[in-house]
Amino acid sequence: MSPLAFLRNSWRWLTSMRTALILLFLLAVAAIPGSVLPQRSVKMEDVRGYFDANPKLAPVLDRLWAFDVFASPWFSAIYLLLFTSLIGCVVPRLRDQVRALRKPPPDAPMRMQRLPAYAKLDSHPEPQLKGWRVRRREHPDGTVTIAAERGYLKETGNLLFHTALLLVLVGVGIGTQWGWHANRLLVQGSDQAFCNTLQQYDDYGLGPRVSASDLPRFCLELNDFDVSYEDNGVPKFFDATVNGGLSFSVNRPLRLDGANVYLLGQGYALEIRYTDAQGRTQTTVSPFLPVDGMLTSEGVAAFPDANGSDKTKQIGFEGLYLPTASMGRSTHPAENDPQLILLAYSGDLGLDAGLAKSVYTLDKDRLKQMGEAKILRKGESWTLEDGSRVEFLGTRPWITISVRHDPGTPIVLAGAALLVIGLPLSLYGRRRRVWWRLHPDGSAEAGGLPKTDYPGFAEEFARLTRCPTTSS
Amino acid sequence: MSDNVLIITVLLYLAAMLTHAADYAFGRRGAVARAVAREPELVHAGGSQDGPITRQGGYTVAEPTTDPEPRPVQLGRYAVAFTVLAALAHLVTVVTRSMEAGRLPWGNMYEFVLTVTLVGTLVWLGVVVKWRETVHLGLFVTLVQVLLTGVAMVVLNTPVGPLVPALDSYWFVVHVGTAALSSALFLVGFAASVMYLIRSGYDEGKRGGLYPYGRFLANAETVERLSFRMHAFAFPVWTFAVAAGAIWAEAAWGRYWGWDPKETWAFISWIVYAAYLHARATPSVKRRVTAWIAVVGWLTMLMNLFGVNLFFDGLHSYGGV
C-alpha cells in the first residue's frame, strides 16, 4: 500500500462513526480512575495520603499518571483523537450544509411512487408552503414540478453543537495556558493585610504562559467577617468585608479587575501576649486550624525572641481552642464559652534551621515541656514557673481565600451556551422534502421523503397534499 | 408527617408493581397478543436490522391505518391507578417535606432522590396517557421506583434541616431542578430500553433468563422509539444541568470544572449518552447495542447518584450524605 493510500485509509478510519463511538467509550472509561484515585489537581493531601498508605503501589500508579488522569498523555490522546475525528466529520458537513443552504431543493425524482409517501391527485393543488423552501420548475414537456424542503435547522444545530464543543476545548486550553490561582489565609486586621504577589500566598499555580509580574496589583485587608450558625452548629450565613466595604461570600465572589476572590473557609486566630522574665513583651496573632465542624482548633504560638538571643531558651505554646467548651471539645462553632488550653515549651524552636516549617505545629525535638496544661479564658493570664507570663488577649476571625483568574471562562461559557442551543435543534429538527408534479392533463401526483426519523411525516404529508388517504 | 406518607408511597408503588406483575402472569394476554398479531411487520422490523429509511417506509404505511388502539388489559388499568395514587402520596411526601424544611426539597440526597423519582413517575404517567400500548413498561418503572424510594426511606433518610450556605444560590434551583428532571427522563428511557431488550430478544428466539417475559410486552419498535424520545429529551436537559452546575461552581468554588468525583461521573454519563445518540443515528449499529448503551448510561447515573456520595469524598457532599 502506498503511504498516501495508508494515510487516506487511516483518516477514513479515524473519521468513521464507529471509531468515534469507540473513542467516546474509551474517554468515559479513562475518566473512571480519575474519580476512584485521588487526583493532584483536586486534593493534593489525598494523594500524599495514598502514597503513605500504599508505598509500593503508588509510585507505579504515579508513573502511569494515575494521580493526574486528566492531564495524562493517554487521556489527552483519546480526546485529541476524538476532536480530530470530530473536525474530520464536521468540516465536510459544514461545506455540504453551506452548499445546501444556497441551493434550491432538488427537482422531483422521476418515479415518485417509489417514495415513502405518495399520493395521486385529481387536480392541480396550490399547496400552502409557509416556512418551506420552494422551487417551481417548468419543464419542456409541459409538466410543472414543485420541490419543497424544510428542516435545515437540524443540520445547522448539529454543526453548531459540534463546533461549540471545539470552542469549549479552545476555552479550556486558554484557561490552562494563561490562567493562575493562589490561596492564602487572611486574618482580620490592618496589620494582617497582604498584596497580590506570589510571596504572599501559601500556595499557587501559574499557567505556563503567566509570569509572576503578570499578576494584577491589588491589596486586601479583612475588615470584618460576619457569620451566624443554627443551634446545631450548621452555618447559616457568611459574609466577609474587605478594603473598607467590599463584601463577598460563599457563592458570591469578589470580582476584581483581573482576578476573582473566593471565600473557602474560616476559623479563629488567637492573640497571645508573652512577657518573659526580663519583662520584654511580644504579641502574636496565630491562626488556629479547625479540626472539626464545631471549630475545635489547634495551633501554636511561637516566641523565638524571648529571653534574649539564647536560642535554647526560646518559648513556644501548643494550643487547643474551644469556642464553646464542653468536656475538652467544642460543641458549637460560635464563641459562646471560649476556652484556650495551652501547653508551654522552652528550648530551641528550630526556626532558623532553614527548613520549611509548618506554622501550625511545633517541632518538639529540642523543646522541653514547662508545667502542666493550663486552661485560659479571654483576658486571663498564666504565670509560668520561670516567672514569665502569657496572656490570652482575644481572638480574631480568619478566612481562607482563593484568588483566581481564568481568561478562558467566557469562551467556555459561550461554547456551553451554543451547545445547549444546538442540541435541541439537532435532536428535534426534521429534514424532509415534498414534491408535486402537475401534469398538463390536469392530474397531479405528490411524493414525500423524510430525510430523518420522523414518525409524524405521514400526517404532515396528508395535510400538505389535502388528501385523506395515502398509498405507496 | 412527610416520613409517614413516604411509607404509604412506597407501599403504593409496591402495589402498582405487584399488579403489573399479576397482569403479566394472569392478565388477559389475549389483548396484547392480538395487538402484536395485528402488526406483525413491525415486530419483524424491530427484530431485523433495516436501515432507518426502510423502517420509515414501514410505519408510514402502518400508522395511519392502525385499528383503534388495543384496549389496555384490565389489571394494567388497576396498576396505573395504583401508580397515580402512589404519585399523589409521593407528591404529598415531597410537599410536606419542603414545608417542614421551609425551602425547596433538594437539600440532601434523600430529598433529591425523592424528587427525581416523583418527576420520573409523573413523566411515566404522561407517557402512558399518550402511548397507551406502553402500559406494560409500568412493571419496570414501578420496580425502579420501589427500589429507589425504598433506599431513600431506609438508607438515606436524614432529619429536616436548613440549607447550608453553600447551597444558598438561585443556581441551586436551576442546577438541581434540571438534574432531577433529566435523571427522571433517563430513568423512564432506561426502563423502556430494558423492555426493548427483553422483547426483541424474545422476538429473536431467546428463551433464557428474563426473555420469556418478552411475549407479554408491547412491541419492540414502540418501546425502542419511546426510549429514544426519552433520551433525546433528557440529553439536552442534562447538558443544561451540567452547564448550569459549571456556572454555579465558578461562583462557589472559583472554577467552572475541577474533576470533583460528581463532575467526573456527570462527564462520564454525558459521554455515554452522547454515544447512545450517535449509535442510534447510525444505521449500521444494531438497535440492541444502542439499548445496551442506554442501560450502561443509567448505571453511570446511578453511580453518580449513590456511589459518588457514598464512596468518595467530594465537594458535592451536603447534609449528611
Side-chain angles (χ1 to χ4, degrees):
Chain A
M1 192 170 18
S2 74
L4 203 66
F6 174 75
L7 275 178
R8 201 167 46 228
N9 281 348
S10 308
W11 181 249
R12 197 171 295 151
W13 174 83
L14 185 62
T15 55
S16 76
M17 182 61 97
R18 197 187 171 80
T19 310
L21 279 173
I22 293 169
L23 287 172
L24 274 174
F25 258 102
L26 278 178
L27 193 63
V29 172
I32 294 175
S35 76
V36 177
L37 292 166
Q39 296 296 300
R40 287 205 175 87
S41 61
V42 178
K43 229 177 176 185
M44 195 68 197
E45 309 94 272
D46 289 359
V47 179
R48 269 186 230 118
Y50 193 89
F51 267 84
D52 291 342
N54 308 281
K56 283 239 166 65
L57 184 61
V60 179
L61 289 174
D62 198 22
R63 220 164 298 148
L64 300 170
W65 288 274
F67 306 110
D68 304 284
V69 165
F70 303 106
S72 69
W74 43 273
F75 192 79
S76 312
I78 298 171
Y79 76 74
L80 288 177
L81 276 175
L82 192 61
F83 273 100
T84 313
S85 160
L86 191 153
I87 292 170
C89 185
V90 164
V91 168
R93 276 171 57 188
L94 199 63
R95 203 179 48 216
D96 292 348
Q97 176 71 353
V98 169
R99 223 174 265 162
L101 282 172
R102 296 171 61 175
K103 246 179 18 190
D107 203 355
M110 283 313 295
R111 286 197 270 171
M112 286 169 66
Q113 59 271 31
R114 299 183 75 175
L115 290 166
Y118 177 74
K120 269 187 187 316
L121 309 169
D122 303 332
S123 60
H124 285 186
E126 277 179 38
Q128 294 296 308
L129 291 169
K130 209 171 166 216
W132 292 71
R133 182 177 291 228
V134 186
R135 170 58 74 91
R136 194 184 165 96
R137 294 181 177 87
E138 294 185 9
H139 292 267
D141 62 354
T143 59
V144 172
T145 56
I146 302 169
E149 180 165 3
R150 74 182 296 178
Y152 294 88
L153 264 180
K154 183 185 182 66
E155 181 70 359
T156 307
N158 194 312
L159 292 167
L160 185 66
F161 170 79
H162 287 101
T163 313
L165 281 175
L166 285 171
L167 200 60
V168 169
L169 186 71
V170 168
V172 170
I174 289 176
T176 323
Q177 294 292 315
W178 281 277
W180 58 270
H181 68 91
N183 302 322
R184 71 160 281 154
L185 187 147
L186 177 60
V187 181
Q188 186 191 54
S190 55
D191 53 335
Q192 303 283 328
F194 81 101
C195 290
N196 186 35
T197 54
L198 290 182
Q199 297 78 23
Q200 300 267 15
Y201 287 106
D202 300 333
D203 65 90
Y204 58 85
L206 300 186
R209 285 167 206 277
V210 184
S211 70
S213 59
D214 294 334
L215 267 54
R217 280 161 216 286
F218 59 83
C219 299
L220 287 176
E221 174 196 334
L222 180 63
N223 306 121
D224 198 19
F225 184 65
D226 234 359
V227 55
S228 67
Y229 303 96
E230 300 289 339
D231 290 341
N232 63 3
V234 174
K236 260 200 308 213
F237 161 86
F238 303 109
D239 195 49
T241 309
V242 290
N243 295 6
L246 297 172
S247 142
F248 67 106
S249 178
V250 174
N251 282 322
R252 203 157 43 77
L254 178 63
R255 306 225 183 250
L256 299 170
D257 196 17
N260 298 322
V261 184
Y262 302 88
L263 176 63
L264 298 183
Q266 53 131 350
Y268 295 106
L270 279 81
E271 255 180 286
I272 295 169
R273 183 158 66 202
Y274 178 72
T275 310
D276 66 18
Q278 288 78 40
R280 275 176 305 230
T281 297
Q282 265 185 283
T283 307
T284 66
V285 180
S286 309
F288 275 35
L289 298 184
V291 293
D292 62 27
M294 298 302 163
L295 294 187
T296 303
S297 310
E298 288 176 351
V300 301
F303 300 95
D305 298 332
N307 299 313
S309 55
D310 188 350
K311 255 189 235 157
T312 59
K313 287 187 174 171
Q314 292 175 328
I315 298 290
F317 294 93
E318 223 176 30
L320 184 68
Y321 181 63
L322 314 170
T324 303
S326 167
M327 322 262 275
R329 58 187 207 92
S330 178
T331 52
H332 197 274
E335 293 181 306
N336 298 326
D337 180 16
Q339 286 184 6
L340 172 64
I341 303 166
L342 280 184
L343 267 173
Y345 293 90
S346 81
D348 184 356
L349 292 169
L351 295 177
D352 306 322
L355 297 167
K357 281 273 188 307
S358 165
V359 295
Y360 305 108
T361 53
L362 284 181
D363 177 2
K364 281 175 242 163
D365 285 355
R366 275 169 288 169
L367 291 175
K368 196 166 74 39
Q369 193 177 328
M370 295 167 75
E372 297 298 310
K374 173 80 177 170
I375 297 175
L376 293 177
R377 291 167 197 279
K378 275 189 191 177
E380 288 182 348
S381 63
W382 171 30
T383 306
L384 281 80
E385 53 198 32
D386 66 347
S388 62
R389 204 157 61 97
V390 59
E391 281 173 87
F392 172 23
L393 297 177
T395 60
R396 296 190 202 174
W398 57 253
I399 57 174
T400 43
I401 53 172
S402 185
V403 183
R404 289 176 171 264
H405 176 59
D406 183 345
T409 306
I411 301 169
V412 175
L413 182 62
L418 294 177
L419 271 183
V420 171
I421 295 168
L423 253 184
L425 294 178
S426 162
L427 284 170
Y428 313 138
R430 281 141 179 174
R431 184 93 165 253
R432 65 266 192 198
R433 289 177 180 159
V434 179
W435 292 278
W436 286 262
R437 179 171 281 130
L438 316 178
H439 297 288
D441 64 359
S443 73
E445 53 187 338
L449 174 69
K451 305 255 296 176
T452 46
D453 193 358
Y454 180 13
F457 182 71
E459 285 86 342
E460 184 182 43
F461 182 75
R463 201 174 60 248
L464 278 175
T465 52
R466 285 202 202 134
C467 176
T469 54
T470 56
S471 59
S472 71
Chain B
M1 164 75 178
S2 170
D3 291 356
N4 295 332
V5 187
L6 178 60
I7 298 172
I8 299 171
T9 309
V10 178
L11 290 176
L12 282 169
Y13 277 128
L14 195 63
M17 187 191 92
L18 291 175
T19 318
H20 272 302
D23 184 21
Y24 277 76
F26 316 112
R28 288 186 294 128
R29 53 171 280 249
V32 180
R34 273 205 309 279
V36 173
R38 207 178 294 130
E39 300 168 291
E41 74 276 37
L42 291 190
V43 175
H44 291 303
S48 69
Q49 292 304 321
D50 304 340
I53 296 297
T54 327
R55 200 174 295 128
Q56 274 154 6
Y59 66 72
T60 312
V61 193
E63 273 201 336
T65 55
T66 309
D67 295 333
E69 295 211 323
R71 207 168 293 168
V73 184
Q74 205 67 29
L75 275 170
R77 205 175 266 180
Y78 287 124
V80 173
F82 273 125
T83 315
V84 171
L85 289 177
L88 287 174
H90 200 155
L91 186 68
V92 172
T93 311
V94 172
V95 168
T96 50
R97 173 82 182 189
S98 50
M99 275 160 46
E100 282 162 25
R103 54 175 171 75
L104 283 168
W106 303 330
N108 49 45
M109 197 160 73
Y110 169 71
E111 296 171 2
F112 184 72
V113 170
L114 285 186
T115 307
V116 169
T117 43
L118 174 61
V119 179
T121 306
L122 297 180
V123 169
W124 157 241
L125 288 173
V127 166
V128 86
V129 166
K130 187 147 192 269
W131 298 287
R132 280 186 170 192
E133 67 275 22
T134 60
V135 66
H136 287 78
L137 193 54
L139 178 63
F140 295 95
V141 176
T142 49
L143 171 69
V144 175
Q145 301 298 41
V146 168
L147 291 176
L148 288 181
T149 51
V151 166
M153 183 172 73
V154 178
V155 185
L156 305 175
N157 203 343
T158 20
V160 176
L163 217 51
V164 293
L167 296 182
D168 185 13
S169 161
Y170 52 85
W171 284 109
F172 171 64
V173 181
V174 177
H175 170 58
V176 185
T178 48
L181 174 63
S182 49
S183 303
L185 292 165
F186 280 135
L187 188 155
V188 178
F190 158 76
S193 286
V194 170
M195 184 163 156
Y196 168 75
L197 283 171
I198 294 175
R199 173 76 218 198
S200 65
Y202 177 80
D203 290 342
E204 283 171 15
K206 293 195 173 124
R207 291 295 178 269
L210 285 171
Y211 288 114
Y213 295 99
R215 95 191 120 112
F216 303 117
L217 300 174
N219 81 65
E221 173 98 2
T222 309
V223 277
E224 201 283 329
R225 183 169 301 284
L226 174 70
S227 170
F228 171 67
R229 285 187 180 196
M230 287 297 132
H231 286 105
F233 185 10
F235 189 70
V237 182
W238 179 243
T239 309
F240 179 81
V242 174
I247 294 172
W248 186 13
E250 195 282 325
W253 302 324
R255 83 290 184 293
Y256 54 83
W257 195 268
W259 299 110
D260 172 71
K262 201 88 166 177
E263 292 170 344
T264 305
W265 279 94
F267 170 80
I268 293 171
S269 299
W270 195 83
I271 292 286
V272 173
Y273 282 119
Y276 168 85
L277 292 175
H278 282 93
R280 179 62 166 59
T282 309
S284 64
V285 178
K286 291 189 173 134
R287 285 288 149 90
R288 281 182 66 81
V289 174
T290 316
W292 276 115
I293 299 176
V295 171
V296 172
W298 178 250
L299 292 180
T300 65
M301 291 296 286
L302 280 185
M303 177 66 197
N304 208 359
L305 191 55
F306 295 110
V308 167
N309 289 58
L310 300 177
F311 304 145
F312 306 133
D313 170 35
L315 291 166
H316 278 81
S317 310
Y318 300 108
V321 269

